[in-house]
Amino acid sequence: MNDSARPALHIPFDNSYGTLPERFYHRQSATPVKAPKLLAFNHALAADLGITTGTESEAAAVFGGNQVPDGADPLAQVYAGHQFGGFSPQLGDGRALLLGEVLDQNGQRFDIQLKGSGRTPFSRNGDGRAWLGPVLREYLLSEAFHALGVPTTRALAAVDTGERVQRETGLPGAVLTRVASSHIRVGTFQYFYARGDVEALNTLFDYTVNRHYPAAETPLDLLKAVIARQVALVVKWMSIGFIHGVMNTDNTSLSGETIDFGPAAFMDTYHPVTVYSSIDHQGRYSYDNQANIIAWNMAQFASSMVPLVENTDAAVKEFTAAVNAMPALIRSEWRRVFAQKIGITHVRDGDETLISDLLTRMAEGRADFTNTFRALSAGGTRDQFTDPARFDDWETGWRKRLQDEPEPEALMASVNPCVIPRNHRVEQMIQSAVAGDYAPFERLQKVLSRPYDTQPEAEDLTHPPLDSEVVQATFCGT
Ligand code: AMP
Ligand code: MG
């Protein structure tokens, strides 16, 4: 179809957040950019959301923030949050704007949000902008997560602004369009809790229940439902060797989706205390500690709902019990998911030891996380270990256990990805894009859309980094 025959860009907005009281947000438009150019557009996602694409220049104008589409109600949402354990009573969308919401074919509601769209009252010292690197990283990683089957926000569009943003050096500016089940965070509850605004807390509670957890009747119900989703999410991350890197309470979505791919990274060589984020000096958000941190974050969520319950003592008791149940929930979910990774359908006594033993040997043997698990069904596992005898020892007991499993190979191949967005590949992709070459971005996108399939033409993308390619640290990417 040529551009003149193409239907105009249309987003079927159906907005609800903007009907909440005005203290939930600041209504404003994006700051226009110099020369918006569409870098990427997710046609499949657009179709699911009933969005008609229009011409490239229309899409660039809308998703770069230069044109407010019909029906949009742009606003910056306010929230608070614990960042590395310290509480900030007011954060909010400092570089993002909610354009509005749409309903997909199943009637499920989604936020359409611009990220990198200019300053808001919540920008503090920030410029409200994003540079190309984090925009492409989030685009690629969030779509890869979707393909991996991990709950996540999605990416609809990436636009080059034609402007430079000043970081340590001048870098190309970009805007990401993010799609999320909502942007309600633990920090959204904390914001109103910190201000003692119980009326707003009640409104937020009702809104959240209605939008995400219609079966929940009480704050305790909501807490338990959110905990269940967070437990599943964090274990999913662990099962693919993922380290979120900045699990602040403002980056913990109540919908249970992965949100904010700032210093996000994947482990190559397995080690439980791996940290990549350049600012995480204490290892607060290390691979293994993610399980503890999510419980800590849920404790903050629970605290913020205490004023919603009449009998404070009873509420504190019940909420505490729900949070204290988390380690056991995480452990059992972890056991279930990691058992699948070694081909076991139903966990039995002894399986946890089998899993832990493999992980210990992997850490000692400097084994690659992704490739070791994949090789369990594809072959060549022992080659992943610096001392292959460390694997052989374990293999004997494992093979014996698998005799009772119907189809361990198929199970393992369905849960152990072949290809993940390895840090060095993501960094190389960003460097190429900054130099004007988007071929690595396109290629990674394509390959990562089928992470569980063996793709011989993409074999190079399954390799761990060479010593010279290892990414030592990742950055928040503002
Ligand atoms: P995040 O790193 O996404 O968790 O962001 C933490 C807080 O910093 C949020 O309130 C963001 O809106 C804000 N922020 C991050 N980068 C910028 C920026 N470039 N300009 C303004 N605010 C920002
Ligand atoms: Mg954030």
Side-chain angles (χ1 to χ4, degrees):
M1 208 185 326
N2 71 31
D3 274 359
S4 59
R6 201 187 276 271
L9 185 139
H10 175 70
I11 306 175
F13 285 109
D14 180 322
N15 304 328
S16 66
Y17 209 82
T19 67
L20 293 173
E22 294 204 341
R23 57 197 192 281
F24 280 68
Y25 47 79
H26 180 259
R27 198 164 254 129
Q28 67 164 81
S29 300
T31 309
V33 299
K34 202 158 126 201
K37 198 179 116 219
L38 197 62
L39 296 174
F41 190 80
N42 192 336
H43 290 277
L45 178 59
D48 286 347
L49 299 175
I51 295 172
T52 47
T53 318
T55 63
E56 278 206 11
S57 62
E58 272 181 295
V62 165
F63 299 114
N66 283 11
Q67 193 190 315
V68 183
D70 285 347
D73 180 17
L75 52 88
Q77 292 175 307
V78 70
Y79 51 86
H82 275 96
Q83 301 178 302
F84 290 89
F87 186 63
S88 299
Q90 187 184 292
L91 293 167
D93 289 335
R95 56 170 157 172
L97 285 176
L98 175 67
L99 280 187
E101 300 143 42
V102 293
L103 302 174
D104 74 358
Q105 290 140 336
N106 307 316
Q108 223 214 303
R109 183 173 293 280
F110 289 94
D111 281 4
I112 313 280
Q113 192 206 57
L114 300 183
K115 194 169 169 184
S117 47
R119 287 182 53 82
T120 76
F122 314 122
S123 299
R124 291 168 294 162
N125 298 322
D127 59 1
R129 293 298 186 190
W131 74 274
L132 185 63
V135 166
L136 294 183
R137 178 189 286 116
E138 177 160 343
Y139 195 110
L140 191 83
L141 262 64
S142 64
E143 287 305 302
F145 266 47
H146 175 69
L148 283 160
V150 183
T152 181
T153 63
R154 307 275 313 265
L156 181 65
V159 171
D160 179 337
T161 61
E163 293 175 359
R164 308 288 284 180
V165 295
Q166 194 56 39
R167 295 295 180 256
E168 276 102 58
T169 83
L171 292 161
V175 178
L176 177 80
T177 304
R178 172 158 78 182
V179 173
S181 285
S182 85
H183 285 85
I184 307 168
R185 308 139 192 271
V186 169
T188 318
F189 276 77
Q190 289 182 293
Y191 174 79
F192 294 113
Y193 171 72
R195 298 159 68 99
D197 188 344
V198 181
E199 190 187 305
L201 265 182
N202 262 303
T203 304
L204 181 61
F205 172 82
D206 289 343
Y207 182 84
T208 306
V209 164
N210 189 27
R211 185 155 173 181
H212 295 296
Y213 301 95
E217 285 175 4
T218 64
L220 180 64
D221 293 343
L222 178 62
L223 176 62
K224 286 182 173 170
V226 172
I227 284 175
R229 288 207 201 162
Q230 294 296 337
V231 165
L233 180 65
V234 168
V235 172
K236 272 258 183 200
W237 288 352
M238 296 182 80
S239 78
I240 53 170
F242 178 69
I243 304 157
H244 181 281
V246 59
M247 286 174 72
N248 295 333
T249 57
D250 52 302
N251 292 335
T252 301
S253 165
L254 289 200
S255 72
E257 287 174 341
T258 310
I259 187 168
D260 277 359
F261 296 81
F266 281 85
M267 273 192 295
D268 296 301
T269 304
Y270 171 70
H271 199 283
V273 295
T274 305
V275 176
Y276 286 98
S277 170
S278 60
I279 56 170
D280 190 359
H281 305 296
Q282 317 282 323
R284 179 179 173 89
Y285 301 138
S286 71
Y287 173 77
D288 239 16
N289 211 36
Q290 299 184 111
N292 298 322
I293 287 295
I294 197 57
W296 194 89
N297 288 355
M298 288 300 99
Q300 305 314 314
F301 177 44
S303 301
S304 73
M305 286 200 293
V306 170
L308 295 177
V309 183
E310 241 161 73
N311 183 337
T312 305
D313 289 347
V316 168
K317 237 188 187 148
E318 288 172 339
F319 291 179
T320 305
V323 173
N324 286 346
M326 284 183 74
L329 289 177
I330 292 173
R331 188 158 177 178
S332 111
E333 178 66 0
W334 180 88
R335 215 186 286 129
R336 185 184 75 79
V337 168
F338 274 74
Q340 293 183 347
K341 287 180 77 66
I342 63 169
I344 295 171
T345 325
H346 297 292
V347 179
R348 285 186 200 158
D349 279 358
D351 289 344
E352 184 168 339
T353 313
L354 196 62
I355 300 163
S356 302
D357 188 21
L358 174 62
L359 288 169
T360 305
R361 286 162 192 267
M362 283 168 62
E364 289 166 1
R366 303 196 54 73
D368 183 85
F369 185 87
T370 305
N371 291 351
T372 300
F373 281 105
R374 183 68 184 189
L376 291 176
S377 56
T381 320
R382 66 193 308 276
D383 308 337
Q384 303 293 328
F385 289 73
T386 45
D387 173 10
R390 298 288 292 142
F391 175 73
D392 299 341
D393 264 2
W394 179 82
E395 189 182 16
T396 318
W398 174 58
R399 293 265 175 228
K400 214 161 136 210
R401 172 66 181 86
L402 285 196
Q403 284 167 6
D404 303 336
E405 288 296 327
E407 284 188 86
E409 259 75 37
L411 175 59
M412 287 187 283
S414 73
V415 296
N416 294 325
C418 188
V419 59
I420 52 152
R422 289 190 185 260
N423 309 331
H424 66 297
R425 293 297 184 180
V426 174
E427 286 311 314
Q428 289 165 6
M429 172 280 283
I430 291 170
Q431 281 172 23
S432 297
V434 170
D437 175 12
Y438 284 83
F441 173 66
E442 308 288 344
R443 178 170 184 240
L444 277 172
Q445 260 193 83
K446 187 159 162 259
V447 172
L448 290 166
S449 69
R450 293 163 48 212
Y452 297 101
D453 293 351
T454 308
Q455 301 176 62
E457 71 287 1
E459 219 256 328
D460 57 312
L461 296 181
T462 69
H463 295 173
L466 302 171
D467 287 345
S468 61
E469 292 174 321
V470 172
V471 172
Q472 304 290 353
T474 55
F475 302 89
C476 270
T478 55

